[in-house]
Amino acid sequence: MAERMVGKQAPRFEMDAVMPNKEFGKVNLEENMKNDKWTVLFFYPMDFTFVCPTEITAMSDRYDEFEDLDAEVIGVSTDTIHTHLAWINTSREDNGLGDLRYPLAADTNHRVSEEYGILIEDEGVALRGLYIISPEGELQYQTVFHNNIGRDVDETLRVLQALQTGGLCPANWKPGQATL
């Protein structure tokens, strides 16, 4: 039986990553918590595919909105940092990513994908999982998609804003509307 994660402390992680300046570095949840930041952690199956660049670049294009909400975005796949960098160095016109505003992390040992419950073991790739983690480290939202379906950045931002109200948000709630 699957174990519930929402409402519990998120699994801690530290991974190698390609940073926005295209240098190699590390990302970890503890750093975001220390800096009182929300974390939007999303997994995608693999580099150099067709659906993945559409959502990775859409998140990057809207990064200022996440930053305004005190949120750090981290993209993750089981590919290496070298593959990530090659994909970033490929133009969007050629199915690449071009410059990104947030890090892409490499879960090459599959540990983080497994801890978040989205690893497809026999393929060695992750499902499209998205997690929103509070500055206190509580996993407050998770959604998992089939790998054929890209995510909606508007919905991710809406949910982040709803969580940040601290109130009860009814169906179809939009930022600026009253909570219950």
Side-chain angles (χ1 to χ4, degrees):
M1 183 166 155
E3 185 177 325
R4 172 181 65 87
M5 293 178 61
V6 172
K8 295 184 177 183
Q9 285 292 298
R12 300 306 193 256
F13 60 81
E14 180 173 276
M15 293 176 278
D16 291 330
V18 178
M19 308 309 281
N21 64 3
K22 298 184 182 182
E23 292 182 5
F24 296 141
K26 295 207 179 275
V27 292
N28 66 70
L29 182 57
E30 296 289 337
E31 185 72 20
N32 290 350
M33 292 169 59
K34 184 178 81 177
N35 292 327
D36 201 33
K37 298 283 188 179
W38 289 77
T39 301
V40 176
L41 178 70
F42 75 93
F43 294 82
Y44 63 94
M46 66 182 71
D47 295 345
F48 292 99
T49 56
F50 299 100
V51 175
C52 298
T54 65
E55 60 184 1
I56 293 168
T57 58
M59 294 282 265
S60 184
D61 292 346
R62 306 277 300 274
Y63 183 77
D64 287 343
E65 294 172 69
F66 288 100
E67 195 171 48
D68 289 345
L69 295 169
D70 291 323
E72 295 292 336
V73 176
I74 302 170
V76 184
S77 81
T78 57
D79 293 301
T80 68
I81 53 176
H82 303 287
T83 305
H84 288 344
L85 183 59
W87 202 22
I88 290 167
N89 284 332
T90 302
S91 73
R92 290 186 182 189
E93 294 76 31
D94 292 325
N95 200 38
L97 301 177
D99 292 338
L100 292 181
R101 308 268 319 275
Y102 59 85
L104 282 188
D107 183 26
T108 55
N109 64 8
H110 305 172
R111 184 185 63 79
V112 181
S113 300
E114 187 172 53
E115 287 181 352
Y116 277 81
I118 57 164
L119 180 66
I120 304 172
E121 293 88 359
D122 57 331
E123 295 179 33
V125 300
L127 289 166
R128 288 188 201 286
L130 183 133
Y131 304 84
I132 299 178
I133 305 164
S134 74
E136 296 75 37
E138 180 184 334
L139 198 153
Q140 294 195 350
Y141 178 81
Q142 83 176 48
T143 184
V144 179
F145 287 77
H146 188 282
N147 282 338
N148 292 343
I149 303 167
R151 288 164 274 224
D152 185 327
V153 179
D154 287 331
E155 177 63 3
T156 302
L157 285 161
R158 185 192 76 84
V159 169
L160 177 60
Q161 290 170 316
L163 291 169
Q164 290 179 347
T165 69
L168 302 173
C169 297
N172 302 316
W173 178 89
K174 300 282 187 234
Q177 293 179 338
T179 58
L180 301 176

